[in-house]
């Protein structure tokens, strides 16, 4: 778990859905204001707090020797990748959920892990899912039940990274550097210009 709650100036792997979303929406505009440091978002919930407190124990149950909370910065892309856990060749992204519900990996989690794989230059990754009971939300020291632990292997999506994500991330990095508010029309023009430069 990374202690800093400051989201300004950098774009995280967990922001991947915003990077590839429509820039001309209120959701994107609100998110961008946190990146510019104009607003801050310190939203907390019982589910988020429980996930944070259980994270290390869950990952240690998978591999007690893995590195925890590694941060990777790629300044030219304004990209900040936080890894929950990793070994020399594998990323482990921890997700908690309510035990009574089946866990399915949504696209936003896959995108997050694809960006982590890109940033860390690793091509093997798992989402580690663990179902929490009502008692687990109240007692962070409750015994861990390995029967509730699931690993989902995530295959790297090079096409998404190179053709969808990176062009838009580069545009957003340009906007952060120059203090420009992103728009879809401006992004199209900028990307057209950049593609001609790289031709």
């Amino acid at each position: 778990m990374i202690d800093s709650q400051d989201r300004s100036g950098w774009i995280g792997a967990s922001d991947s859905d915003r990077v590839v979303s429509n820039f001309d929406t209120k959701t994107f505009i609100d998110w961008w204001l946190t990146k510019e440091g104009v607003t801050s978002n310190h939203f907390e919930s019982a589910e988020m707090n429980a996930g944070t407190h259980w994270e290390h124990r869950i990952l240690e149950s998978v591999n007690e020797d893995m590195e925890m909370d590694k941060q990777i910065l790629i300044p030219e892309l304004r990209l900040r990748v936080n890894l929950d856990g990793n070994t020399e060749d594998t990323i482990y992204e921890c997700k908690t959920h309510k035990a009574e519900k089946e866990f399915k990996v949504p696209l936003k989690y896959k995108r997050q892990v694809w960006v982590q794989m890109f940033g860390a230059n690793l091509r093997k990754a798992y989402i580690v899912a663990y179902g929490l009971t009502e008692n687990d939300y109240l007692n962070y020291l409750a015994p861990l039940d390995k029967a509730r632990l699931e690993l989902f292997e995530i295959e790297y999506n090079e096409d998404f990274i190179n053709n969808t994500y990176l062009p838009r991330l580069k545009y957003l990095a340009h906007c952060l550097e120059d203090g420009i508010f992103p728009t879809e029309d401006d992004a199209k023009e900028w990307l057209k210009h950049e593609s001609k430069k790289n031709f």
Side-chain angles (χ1 to χ4, degrees), residues 13-14 16-17 95 105-113 127:
S14 60
S16 302
D17 257 15
K95 301 294 184 186
V105 180
L107 180 57
K108 67 178 181 178
Y109 288 172
K110 291 180 181 179
R111 286 172 170 167
Q112 177 184 358
V113 174
I127 286 179

Side-chain angles (χ1 to χ4, degrees), residues 29-44:
I29 291 168
D30 289 344
W31 173 79
W32 187 255
L33 290 174
T34 67
K35 297 302 163 186
E36 290 282 11
V38 175
T39 62
S40 60
N41 182 359
H42 299 307
F43 175 76
E44 289 185 10

Side-chain angles (χ1 to χ4, degrees), residues 12-13 15 21 23 30 46 51 60-61 63 82 91 93 107 117 128 143 148 150 153 165 169 177-178 184 193:
D15 295 320
S21 70
F23 298 154
D30 289 344
E60 285 166 357
S61 76
N63 182 338
N82 296 325
I91 292 168
E93 174 65 23
L107 180 57
M117 296 166 87
V128 180
R148 288 186 258 142
E150 295 181 277
E153 187 168 6
Y165 178 78
L169 179 66
E177 291 286 344
D178 292 359
E184 284 297 322
H193 182 261

Side-chain angles (χ1 to χ4, degrees), residues 53-68:
H53 282 89
W54 276 89
E55 184 177 291
H56 282 185
R57 291 179 60 203
I58 293 166
L59 292 175
E60 285 166 357
S61 76
V62 175
N63 182 338
E64 62 183 17
D65 295 323
M66 77 169 69
E67 182 179 354
M68 305 279 188

